Amino acid sequence: MTEQYTEAYASTHGRFTVVPAAYVLLRRAGDDGDEVLLQLRRGTGYYDEHWAFGAAGHIEAGESLLTGAAREASEELAVGVAPGALELLTLMHRTDGSGRPIEQRFDVFFQAREWSGEPRIVEGEKAAALEWFPLDALPDPVVPHELQVLEGLRRGSLAPVSVFGF
C-alpha cells in the first residue's frame, strides 16, 4: 500500500490506518546454543548497515498474514516455510512518532525452526550479508525494533503484544 493511498484512505474515511508487516526469523540449534539468521541491510535507505531478521515485508492486499510471511521467506531467503511451521513471537505496534499514517505499523514477528532449502541472499541489491549468530552473541548494530524482539526472545521475556516508539 503506498503512502499516498494510505493517507488518502485515512482522510476520506477518517479511520486509523496501519501498515501490516511480517518478519520471519530462522532459528536453529548451534554449537553455542540457539542461532538466528540475520541479514545485513544495504542499499535500501532504511537502516542500511544494520543487521535485521532474514526476511520481512508488507502483507499484500488479499493475502493472509501467514501466507505473506511464508512468501517473504521464499522471496528473500529462497526457503520454503510452511505456514503451519511459523511460530508467533510477538505482535508489535510501532510508530516513528511522526503521526503520519504510513508510520503506524503492526509488525508480526515469527520464527521458524523448520524449512526446506538452503537460505541465501536473493535480493542482493538490499542485503550485503546473511549470517547465523548465536542468540547470546548478536552483531552490532541491529535495527532497533528488531533488536527489542531478539533481546526479549533471548531473555525469555517476550510479550505476546509489544510496542515500540510510543
Side-chain angles (χ1 to χ4, degrees), residues 10-140:
S11 65
T12 302
H13 297 282
R15 294 188 177 148
F16 177 67
T17 305
V18 297
V19 176
Y23 294 69
V24 179
L25 181 70
L26 298 186
R27 190 169 173 184
R28 70 181 186 187
D31 294 338
D32 297 321
D34 277 358
E35 294 179 336
V36 294
L37 184 67
L38 302 178
Q39 67 166 303
L40 182 61
R41 299 180 60 84
R42 184 171 292 159
T44 68
Y46 182 79
Y47 283 105
D48 286 337
E49 305 308 319
H50 282 66
W51 291 92
F53 274 46
H58 297 117
I59 303 303
E60 297 176 359
E63 181 177 58
S64 78
L65 182 62
L66 294 173
T67 300
R71 175 186 50 76
E72 289 293 340
S74 176
E75 288 177 358
E76 296 187 13
L77 298 173
V79 297
V81 177
L86 293 165
E87 302 171 42
L88 179 64
L89 294 174
T90 190
L91 165 71
M92 178 181 284
H93 186 195
R94 176 172 62 95
T95 185
D96 70 353
S98 70
R100 297 179 328 142
I102 192 69
E103 294 306 335
Q104 295 291 320
R105 309 268 176 161
F106 280 144
D107 295 334
V108 183
F109 291 86
F110 296 98
Q111 70 179 0
R113 295 177 185 266
E114 298 176 7
W115 60 88
S116 61
E118 187 63 34
R120 64 179 174 82
I121 296 174
V122 176
E123 299 175 321
E125 70 282 1
K126 296 180 181 180
L130 189 64
E131 296 182 31
W132 289 98
F133 293 95
L135 190 54
D136 289 332
L138 297 173
D140 186 48

